[in-house]
């Protein structure tokens, strides 16, 4: 049997943030601005890719309100998964393949979720939207991240 005695053990604080200095504040401000630029370019590419795919679908098949709903849902889910996969995290920006992997995984999750949802609901006319926006958006996002990375250097 273990007996606990009244022993005080002092432990160091778990997370100590560095003292605020002008250099640290400038770096944090720059990181926030860079993440905002990434977010803006990601949203522009997603909306552009889904818009081009919706136009392609309108020329091939008839447009119905469900297609607009699917396009809107795809834009929202894609943006949500990019944020959820932490594709704009400071530790992965500008170095290594982790940033590209997170973008690709978020894209796959978003399209998989919309495809499964369309399968359950029984929508058959949105294949053009999915198969058009997937390659355009993924290539656009990866090229955008590559261009931002080149701009950093």
């Amino acid at each position: 049997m273990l007996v606990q005695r009244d022993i005080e053990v002092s432990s160091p604080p778990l997370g100590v943030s560095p003292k605020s200095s002008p250099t640290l504040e400038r770096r944090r401000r720059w990181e926030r601005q860079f993440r905002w630029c990434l977010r803006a370019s990601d949203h522009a590419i997603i909306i552009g890719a889904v818009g081009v795919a919706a136009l392609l679908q309108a020329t091939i098949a008839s447009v119905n309100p469900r297609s607009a709903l699917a396009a809107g849902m795809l834009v929202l889910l894609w943006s949500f998964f990019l944020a959820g996969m932490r594709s704009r995290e400071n530790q992965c920006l500008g170095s290594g393949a982790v940033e590209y992997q997170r973008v690709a995984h978020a894209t796959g999750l978003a399209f998989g979720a919309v495809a499964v949802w369309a399968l359950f609901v029984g929508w058959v006319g949105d294949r053009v939207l999915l198969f058009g926006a997937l390659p355009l958006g993924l290539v656009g996002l990866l090229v955008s991240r590559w261009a931002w990375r080149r701009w950093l250097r």
Side-chain angles (χ1 to χ4, degrees), residues 29-98:
R29 188 174 348 125
W30 181 87
E31 287 173 348
R32 279 192 304 269
Q33 289 172 347
F34 185 67
R35 282 194 313 268
W36 186 88
C37 290
L38 277 178
R39 192 176 299 116
S41 66
D42 287 351
H43 289 306
I45 289 168
I46 289 169
I47 291 170
V50 172
V52 167
L55 287 175
L56 181 65
Q57 182 177 0
T59 58
I60 293 175
S62 64
V63 178
N64 56 24
R66 290 186 297 182
S67 298
L69 178 64
M73 190 175 74
L74 180 59
V75 168
L76 289 176
L77 277 176
W78 203 347
S79 300
F80 175 75
F81 279 121
L82 277 174
M85 294 293 289
R86 300 179 309 186
S87 67
R88 299 178 202 102
E89 195 173 59
N90 290 337
Q91 289 79 13
C92 75
L93 290 178
S95 64
V98 175

